[in-house]
Amino acid sequence: MSAIIDSPVGGSRRTNLEEIEAKALELIKERGDEGIYQHELWKLLGLDSREGSRLALRLLKKGLIVREPTVHNGRRTYKLFLAKQVKKRPKISVKIGSALEVPCFTCKNIDKCHNGGFYDPSTCPILAAWLNSKINRFRMLLSE
């Protein structure tokens, strides 16, 4: 019988699955960049090949591991590695409505504004305040 069904742990099947997944992740983590063959993992956990494959697929679907096909002793198998956790970056989109928010488009001095002139975008307090508000909002998005 399998380790999942015959487990002596007095808990639900779900709790037992989570424990096996945690043990599997720990074993994969211990191997580091070397990785571990899928058949080695299920043998160490006391699972049969079917359960071992299902375990690997569950971890893969959760994004916790990476599976690379390989050949070991003339047989096709998979090598398992811990997935690199990447911090998700916020999606930034620019729409035409956003461009209309730029204070320059509604400024009464737009026709006199140029670099080095009396009205200069590099010294405009209205443009600077608007840009600072956008930068602060962007920083807040990145820190979430």
Side-chain angles (χ1 to χ4, degrees), residues 20-31:
I20 291 173
E21 287 177 3
K23 287 178 188 175
L25 286 173
E26 189 59 37
L27 290 170
I28 296 168
K29 183 179 179 181
E30 287 174 6
R31 296 291 178 102

Side-chain angles (χ1 to χ4, degrees), residues 18-70:
E18 291 169 0
E19 289 173 6
I20 291 173
E21 287 177 3
K23 287 178 188 175
L25 286 173
E26 189 59 37
L27 290 170
I28 296 168
K29 183 179 179 181
E30 287 174 6
R31 296 291 178 102
D33 292 336
E34 177 186 323
I36 186 170
Y37 289 107
Q38 184 169 301
H39 67 272
E40 284 183 274
L41 179 66
W42 54 260
K43 284 179 183 176
L44 289 170
L45 293 171
L47 304 174
D48 61 29
S49 62
R50 182 173 156 210
E51 290 171 338
S53 295
R54 287 181 178 177
L55 170 67
L57 287 173
R58 272 196 311 275
L59 295 174
L60 182 67
K61 286 180 184 177
K62 291 180 180 180
L64 300 173
I65 66 167
V66 177
R67 264 184 11 156
E68 291 183 4
T70 187

Side-chain angles (χ1 to χ4, degrees), residues 100-113 119-120 124 126-127:
L100 295 176
E101 293 176 11
V102 177
C104 299
F105 293 120
T106 57
C107 181
K108 62 182 179 183
N109 299 311
I110 186 95
D111 55 337
K112 301 174 200 158
C113 185
Y119 299 102
D120 188 343
C124 178
I126 297 169
L127 180 59

